[in-house]
Amino acid sequence: MHPRPLERLAMCVVAAVATVLNVLLKLPCTLPTPEGVVRGAFVSRYGCWSDVAALWGSRDLAGHVFPYVTGSELGNGTVEYPTLTGVWVWLTALPVGSAHGFLLVTGVVAVVLAVTVTLLLVRVAGRRAWLWAATPPLALYAVYNWDLLAVACSVVGLVVVVRPPSSWSTTTRYAVAGAAFGVGGAFKLYPLMFLAPLVIAALLDRDAELGTRVRRTAAALGSGVGVVLAANLPFVLVNLPGWLSVFTFQASRPIGASTMSVWYYGLLPWSTDLDGPIQQTMGAMSTVATALGIVAVLVVTVVLALRRGTTPWVQSAAALLAVYMVCNKVASPQYVLWLLPFLVVLRVGGWWIAAYLVADVCAVVGFFRNTYYQAIGVGTDTWAYQAMTAGIWGRAALLVALVVVFLRTPVVTRPVRGTSERTDSGRSGTSGPALADPSDADRVVSGDRVVSTDRVATGERVVSTDRVVSGERVVSGDGRSGAADPTA
């Protein structure tokens, strides 16, 4: 059901308050450590660690040096993230002169981003946007890093294809979505993965003539790659070593306890050797597992697209993200912000969502408290270590299961038979799933008749359950109709 304006306002307020709470949680780490207190014990006791505040000093952001254009190592304004994040960090650091002020400015931006994502998710998923606005991740991680920038870009890419303005042509939709994922990839790399299922959908969805499909495929791929090149090529030409320092750092980063990775905790005690050959072994295992998982998901996506005539590209993007999160060498806690929009727009059951969020809270609370206990000499035989361990392995197991769940789960917003949009040739066409207004979240309108339904598989050829029948014809999940089939 689509929320009324007052409820949408309430969602935005809750999202903003959660973000402000996270800023307040992180502010103590911008202050000097009390005399006689070990810095590590202070940070972990209050869980106030934030990359935003930490990098202010370690990367010399106070110098306000434009990033990547000088030197060949991190520091002097260069941070260990893609170029748009580095430029954004530089811009938001310009008005301030301290880590405290920098965190506050970052918090203001985070509030705007959190509210924007909330409204975009409402457009697609209606009241399910509460899952974004009112669950713990925003309150825990909004300013942990700059991930909300990439999250906002990813959600824009989803919205412009799943529920675009009615006047947009199919090529415009795919071009804007590709550009959004490209911008997101220039903030954080992960949104670039979503280009692959988007391109598969543009090419293989049998809702338009081949020429239109080729044009929208070129538009999606071209805009995405073009944005990435535009964001990186100037830095490559000006100072290649400075640009490469980001990738060199990430490739050589050891897999330690702070990565919260299954590779580290699964290979204890050998993984505690941060300088030994085990690090190369774990890195190779992580890379191979990630590559194999991504290829497997894309193969399944192509098979489903060829079989059904429509591509479950949103589901595929979510599955790719789950593979990356579980197989990557780093499993930073704020990555749940990446995943949460997919838990909103896909009709994932509440138990899956609750289980993952509980595991995530156990992992992060247990991690910081365990680190504190170690700093004061208590050791690892504590409830905190047990909670952290359960959370890390619980998250991993759920992510593996969610790869399958995502690929089998419909998008929340319903398709409507007869909704057409302009194609590039000027003719009317479906151009993928035609989506109902979320205000009709439990209804599908066909002519003058309203037929109740519980679930409609967006991106699938056939309604998965409680088939939507108009006369003697079944409305399929891609907006087309056909004769009623008792096996559908």
Side-chain angles (χ1 to χ4, degrees):
M1 183 176 180
H2 195 63
R4 296 182 182 276
L6 188 60
E7 185 176 358
R8 292 201 297 271
L9 177 61
M11 284 185 188
C12 294
V13 170
V14 170
V17 168
T19 304
V20 170
L21 287 175
N22 187 243
V23 174
L24 296 177
L25 174 66
K26 303 304 182 183
L27 278 177
C29 278
T30 65
L31 303 175
T33 305
E35 186 176 352
V37 177
V38 177
R39 179 66 177 175
F42 176 78
V43 171
S44 56
R45 180 178 183 181
Y46 297 104
C48 60
W49 173 270
S50 168
D51 293 334
V52 174
L55 294 184
W56 174 264
S58 64
R59 301 295 179 250
D60 192 26
L61 301 181
H64 305 304
V65 178
F66 194 73
Y68 311 110
V69 297
T70 58
S72 59
E73 296 180 351
L74 300 183
N76 198 29
T78 298
V79 295
E80 53 266 52
Y81 305 112
T83 54
L84 285 191
T85 294
V87 173
W88 186 268
V89 168
W90 172 75
L91 282 172
T92 51
L94 286 177
V96 298
S98 67
H100 184 88
F102 186 47
L103 185 64
L104 291 177
V105 171
T106 303
V108 171
V109 175
V111 168
V112 174
L113 291 171
V115 169
T116 300
V117 171
T118 300
L119 293 174
L120 289 171
L121 291 175
V122 167
R123 179 174 176 83
V124 174
R127 283 181 170 171
R128 282 180 69 92
W130 278 114
L131 293 171
W132 165 264
T135 51
L138 276 179
L140 291 174
Y141 313 120
V143 292
Y144 196 100
N145 199 282
W146 293 272
D147 294 77
L148 284 179
L149 293 165
V151 170
C153 293
S154 298
V155 174
V156 168
L158 292 174
V159 170
V160 297
V161 176
V162 173
R163 185 163 161 72
S166 59
S167 61
W168 284 15
S169 70
T170 177
T171 300
T172 300
R173 289 166 50 193
Y174 281 97
V176 174
F181 294 146
V183 173
F187 280 119
K188 297 274 185 170
L189 292 178
Y190 82 91
L192 289 178
M193 291 189 297
F194 307 153
L195 273 176
L198 180 70
V199 167
I200 293 172
L203 183 61
L204 297 185
D205 280 6
R206 295 195 296 268
D207 56 7
E209 295 178 352
L210 180 60
T212 298
R213 288 153 54 188
V214 170
R215 282 194 295 273
R216 71 192 186 193
T217 300
L221 188 59
S223 62
V225 173
V227 167
V228 173
L229 289 177
N232 287 274
L233 193 56
F235 296 97
V236 172
L237 296 176
V238 171
N239 183 27
L240 179 61
W243 180 80
L244 286 174
S245 65
V246 175
F247 303 96
T248 302
F249 171 84
Q250 297 296 350
S252 61
R253 178 180 178 179
I255 303 176
S258 63
T259 64
M260 301 179 71
S261 165
V262 294
W263 302 107
Y264 176 84
Y265 289 97
L267 292 173
L268 287 172
W270 306 283
S271 56
T272 57
D273 183 2
L274 300 183
D275 299 314
I278 187 63
Q279 290 294 324
Q280 292 183 343
T281 301
M282 289 191 296
M285 292 169 64
S286 170
T287 301
V288 170
T290 303
L292 290 176
I294 288 174
V295 169
V297 170
L298 292 178
V299 168
V300 171
T301 303
V302 171
V303 170
L304 292 176
L306 293 174
R307 180 185 300 172
R308 298 170 177 171
T310 56
T311 306
W313 78 271
V314 178
Q315 294 91 327
S316 176
L320 288 173
L321 181 57
V323 165
Y324 181 81
M325 288 175 64
V326 73
C327 295
N328 190 32
K329 64 188 284 186
V330 178
S332 294
Q334 79 275 12
Y335 289 179
V336 67
L337 292 171
W338 304 359
L339 187 68
L340 200 53
F342 289 101
L343 297 177
V344 173
V345 302
L346 295 177
R347 191 170 287 283
V348 179
W351 286 108
W352 288 107
I353 299 171
Y356 190 86
L357 294 179
V358 168
D360 180 74
V361 170
C362 287
V364 71
V365 172
F367 172 78
F368 279 114
R369 204 64 186 175
N370 177 66
T371 305
Y372 170 67
Y373 286 149
Q374 288 183 308
I376 62 176
V378 173
T380 59
D381 188 18
T382 63
W383 68 267
Y385 186 82
Q386 300 302 321
M388 178 188 70
T389 303
I392 289 173
W393 289 106
R395 286 190 316 186
L398 287 165
L399 285 170
V400 172
L402 283 171
V403 172
V404 178
V405 171
F406 284 149
L407 289 171
R408 296 170 58 89
T409 302
V411 176
V412 170
T413 305
R414 306 308 202 273
V416 179
R417 180 191 175 203
T419 301
S420 63
E421 56 184 307
R422 190 168 49 84
T423 64
D424 297 305
S425 60
R427 293 189 302 271
S428 176
T430 57
S431 183
L435 301 175
D437 191 293
S439 61
D440 293 321
D442 295 312
R443 297 185 300 166
V444 174
V445 180
S446 178
D448 294 326
R449 303 181 61 184
V450 176
V451 184
S452 177
T453 184
D454 289 331
R455 294 185 295 145
V456 179
T458 297
E460 300 183 12
R461 189 177 63 82
V462 179
V463 175
S464 60
T465 187
D466 291 329
R467 293 167 297 158
V468 182
V469 181
S470 174
E472 299 298 325
R473 302 179 69 80
V474 176
V475 179
S476 68
D478 59 4
R480 297 190 295 270
S481 62
D485 180 359
T487 65

